[in-house]
Amino acid sequence: MPTLLLVRHGRSTANTEGLLAGWTPGVHLDDRGTAQAAALPGRLAPLPLAEVVTSPLDRCRETVGPLLQARPGLTHHTDERIGECHYGDWTGRKLAELKDEPLMEVVQAHPSAAAFPGGESMRAMQTRAAEAVREWNARVERDHGPDAVYLMCSHGDIIKSLVADALGLHLDLFQRISVEPCSVTAIRYTRLRPFLLRLGDTGDFASLAPREEPPAGDATVGGDAGAP
């Protein structure tokens, strides 16, 4: 079966403003995110991509824009099932405010039981994304063969949940996974089991350098802003 490249969108204005964007319209890449997107075609140059699938949200479409320009023959699709989690009433709120919500403790420690008010549960988010991947795996294999490589551009929580699914991890452990903006995660699917080949690869180690303010012990819902 095919190899899937999961690309998290480049850094967005919501990332730098500390907002939980969700499906808020009009959230775009910031200057750093635009530069990350511009570098993506070079990073992926050695790979013969069969298809590109993106979340319908602007920040994902903008991330793959330079790649599609560099490869004009590459087919582009959108799939709502790999769109951001529906955070409901939390959408657009500051993460600094949300950390005091009682639900946040559940999101961090027991996400399989977390359902956002007016939105969806994290279990439903993972289920729809995993179903999308399995359907696209079959489609890509049918159209391009079992050794094909294709790309999905999605969001932090979606990608983390798909990595957990591939590794056979319970969703309650997915907050232990981290994927930075514009990072590449590679999963090779086979008939019996998936193999995680890369996780959150940005091509540099800047995010591992000590920061003036140490990162919080909890995971950032939706994904953090990456290296400064």
Side-chain angles (χ1 to χ4, degrees):
M1 295 180 72
T3 296
L4 169 61
L5 304 183
L6 288 164
V7 176
R8 185 183 167 201
H9 62 79
R11 195 174 75 175
S12 72
T13 53
N15 292 145
T16 49
E17 293 170 7
L19 299 176
L20 185 61
W23 284 72
T24 303
V27 175
H28 300 283
L29 300 183
D30 67 5
D31 289 344
R32 181 179 177 84
T34 300
Q36 290 170 332
L40 191 60
R43 293 170 60 198
L44 300 180
L47 299 177
L49 298 176
E51 308 269 359
V52 170
V53 186
T54 69
S55 156
L57 295 171
D58 289 337
R59 52 197 184 273
C60 288
R61 297 172 68 90
E62 292 170 4
T63 298
V64 301
L67 178 65
L68 296 174
Q69 288 178 358
R71 303 194 191 194
L74 194 55
T75 305
H76 174 223
H77 313 269
T78 59
D79 192 326
E80 290 195 356
R81 294 174 297 176
I82 62 166
E84 181 65 282
C85 185
H86 291 278
Y87 295 116
D89 297 345
W90 280 26
T91 302
R93 292 182 60 186
K94 286 189 173 293
L95 290 164
E97 298 173 356
L98 291 170
K99 68 181 178 60
D100 295 324
E101 293 278 355
L103 177 60
M104 183 60 85
E105 187 176 15
V106 181
V107 170
Q108 294 294 329
H110 191 19
S112 65
F116 296 97
E120 70 179 332
S121 69
M122 302 200 91
R123 285 183 294 107
M125 173 199 74
Q126 183 187 44
T127 297
R128 63 173 164 86
E131 288 177 350
V133 166
R134 282 160 175 75
E135 288 182 20
W136 277 103
N137 282 347
R139 177 173 172 173
V140 170
E141 181 175 16
R142 181 197 68 203
D143 294 343
H144 302 280
D147 297 323
V149 179
Y150 75 107
L151 182 149
M152 281 187 169
C153 185
S154 188
H155 307 266
D157 281 349
I158 295 287
I159 294 173
K160 288 162 55 178
S161 73
L162 289 171
V163 171
D165 175 75
L167 293 176
L169 293 177
H170 197 282
L171 185 61
D172 286 345
L173 301 179
F174 99 124
Q175 296 290 27
R176 302 183 184 193
I177 300 166
S178 177
V179 290
E180 289 212 359
C182 222
S183 64
V184 178
T185 293
I187 302 172
R188 184 176 71 241
Y189 288 87
T190 73
R191 187 173 66 86
L192 296 180
R193 64 181 66 84
F195 294 88
L196 180 64
L197 306 179
R198 297 285 190 280
L199 175 61
D201 191 337
T202 61
D204 66 63
F205 297 97
S207 64
L208 302 181
R211 303 185 188 181
E212 291 184 8
E213 293 185 11
D218 287 337
T220 302
V221 181
D224 63 20

